[in-house]
Amino acid sequence: MEKRLKNGQHWTDTQGNPIHAHGGCILKIEDRFYWYGEDRRKNYYVSCYSSRDLMNWKFENHILTTESKILKYYDSAQLKNEDGKKINIERPKIIYNEITKKYVMWAHYENGYDYKQAAVAIASCDSPTGDFCYHGCFNPLQNMSRDCTLFIDKNNTPFFVSTAQNNANLNVYSISDDYMSVNKLEKVLFKGEYREAPAFFETRDKLFLLTSKCTGWSPNQGGYAHADNMISRWSEIYDFGDETTYHTQPAFVLTLNTNQGKQYVYIGDRWGGNEWNGVDRNDFVYDNSSYYFSLINIDESNVINLEKCNEFTFDINTSSFRVWNSEK
Ligand code: GAL
């Protein structure tokens, strides 16, 4: 019987250890996928796994930890707070910079006491699985910045997008050529609508944004919008998935180039437990969190449907993802 991976279960890596890659992203480099995400165990912040088939994940490295090397780019560059405790690094996103030849990570930073600093942390590395070097954190153009993502559009223009004004707005920034800082606030999306968990992907004719409402760890109705490009006019927000987005929150969209065209794979978090109390970061929320991968279908009128997906498989020969809801 062919192997299928079941959504919402606790996935393990090829050594049988739990996979901790929450709020993350996936890069494809040659014939491998690299999955990065939050890992709140021990002194870890971000971990990396690799796979050829999105099902068998090999642990690669704890790429950012409390002990990572610090190379200051911003004044505030500590990986522990004043009490020697862990800070928060959330929703890490990594893109490759062709000029500096570095993999650059941007993530949501909090000081480990509360969620008030609302800043961006930056780290980088020469290799996709190496020990990343921490460069510090900052508030983009003095703005608050919580849930965030990086996206390079089809014109090769990179953007950083993050929630601002206490999550009320989604700010779109252009970023510097070395991917180390923001340039300019290009656009404010969905002002006053309190959207979180932004994830972008692009089809031949539209740029899509998936986002959740703002209810902490509790899942809610997912929404999507589309535009011709990042700074053009955006549609209103339409629903996708069910009222809890199948108990998930968007983390990332992986675009697959299959031999029959593109597929868009939803990478979602199914956070465990109840609302987080903001104090004990290693509580059961994290240990019970799992993942949800599924296909995003788009019709001719740019209406999105997230397929309900019990299990999935991936065919290495055709590079395609398949949803299974039937019994074996
Ligand atoms: C969510 C957010 C997560 C995390 C959590 C903390 O809304 O998307 O990344 O920050 O709140 O309560």
Side-chain angles (χ1 to χ4, degrees):
M1 203 185 312
E2 91 187 303
K3 175 177 170 158
R4 299 178 185 177
L5 203 55
K6 199 170 168 63
N7 272 322
Q9 284 201 336
H10 293 137
W11 298 350
T12 49
D13 66 18
T14 48
Q15 290 173 313
N17 297 314
I19 295 179
H20 280 276
H22 311 284
C25 65
I26 295 180
L27 288 187
K28 175 112 195 261
I29 303 167
E30 289 162 12
D31 65 347
R32 289 199 167 267
F33 297 101
Y34 293 86
W35 185 12
Y36 304 90
E38 296 168 29
D39 187 342
R40 300 197 182 200
R41 294 169 301 166
K42 302 185 182 170
N43 69 336
Y44 315 146
Y45 287 128
V46 181
S47 294
C48 173
Y49 300 83
S50 75
S51 174
R52 287 190 65 209
D53 61 8
L54 301 177
M55 295 190 293
N56 297 289
W57 291 98
K58 174 177 170 260
F59 168 72
E60 290 285 350
N61 193 10
H62 299 299
I63 63 167
L64 193 73
T65 72
T66 56
E67 309 312 312
S68 292
K69 193 171 155 198
I70 296 176
L71 234 178
K72 251 187 178 190
Y73 187 92
Y74 291 99
D75 284 345
S76 172
Q78 292 90 36
L79 285 162
K80 286 182 189 168
N81 63 23
E82 286 157 19
D83 294 325
K85 302 247 169 65
K86 281 177 81 179
I87 54 165
N88 279 34
I89 296 287
E90 297 187 356
R91 298 189 170 272
K93 299 290 174 279
I94 294 175
I95 52 178
Y96 180 66
N97 188 297
E98 302 278 352
I99 304 166
T100 61
K101 310 270 179 238
K102 291 210 185 276
Y103 293 86
V104 186
M105 176 199 305
W106 292 45
H108 172 194
Y109 169 96
E110 298 290 355
N111 58 20
Y113 300 113
D114 53 38
Y115 265 68
K116 295 193 180 129
Q117 198 155 339
V120 193
I122 297 194
S124 74
C125 187
D126 295 332
S127 101
T129 58
D131 296 335
F132 275 57
C133 208
Y134 185 58
H135 302 300
C137 74
F138 67 105
N139 286 93
L141 308 177
Q142 274 64 60
N143 290 310
M144 293 175 86
S145 178
R146 290 202 182 102
D147 279 15
C148 60
T149 196
L150 287 167
F151 184 73
I152 302 180
D153 74 7
K154 56 184 165 213
N155 301 322
N156 227 8
T157 308
F159 292 98
F160 175 67
V161 178
S162 69
T163 63
Q165 303 271 50
N166 246 330
N167 299 341
N169 305 339
L170 266 182
N171 281 2
V172 176
Y173 305 91
S174 49
I175 67 176
S176 60
D177 288 347
D178 61 3
Y179 298 175
M180 292 294 283
S181 57
V182 298
N183 281 346
K184 190 174 156 221
L185 178 62
E186 299 286 348
K187 184 129 187 133
V188 178
L189 296 178
F190 307 113
K191 235 183 192 158
E193 293 196 35
Y194 289 86
R195 304 302 311 190
E196 280 196 327
F200 292 90
F201 65 99
E202 208 162 23
T203 61
R204 214 183 44 209
D205 40 80
K206 289 283 177 202
L207 172 63
F208 287 87
L209 163 67
L210 304 186
T211 147
S212 72
K213 289 181 189 158
C214 202
T215 52
W217 300 119
S218 310
N220 56 56
Q221 172 74 64
Y224 73 93
H226 50 73
D228 290 338
N229 60 60
M230 193 65 95
I231 53 177
S232 66
R233 193 169 163 274
W234 280 79
S235 73
E236 61 182 283
I237 297 174
Y238 308 104
D239 291 350
F240 77 92
D242 67 4
E243 67 275 13
T244 61
T245 323
Y246 307 125
H247 283 95
T248 73
Q249 191 180 26
F252 187 72
V253 177
L254 172 68
T255 300
L256 296 175
N257 291 313
T258 79
N259 63 352
Q260 300 205 340
K262 290 200 191 298
Q263 279 186 321
Y264 304 95
V265 180
Y266 174 84
I267 310 295
D269 290 294
R270 181 169 287 173
W271 303 115
N274 298 319
E275 187 59 34
W276 192 39
N277 60 20
V279 178
D280 179 11
R281 71 167 54 78
N282 283 320
D283 70 0
F284 60 91
V285 170
Y286 249 76
D287 291 338
N288 285 311
S289 291
S290 57
Y291 313 98
Y292 191 93
F293 289 11
S294 185
L295 273 188
I296 300 168
N297 296 321
I298 309 157
D299 75 9
E300 321 74 62
S301 337
N302 293 312
V303 172
I304 281 186
N305 159 39
L306 176 65
E307 278 193 47
K308 195 169 170 30
C309 175
N310 185 25
E311 297 174 303
F312 66 85
T313 51
F314 182 87
D315 183 340
I316 292 185
N317 299 321
T318 59
S319 249
S320 55
F321 185 98
R322 180 161 175 195
V323 169
W324 296 86
N325 285 308
S326 57
E327 294 307 309
K328 285 189 184 165

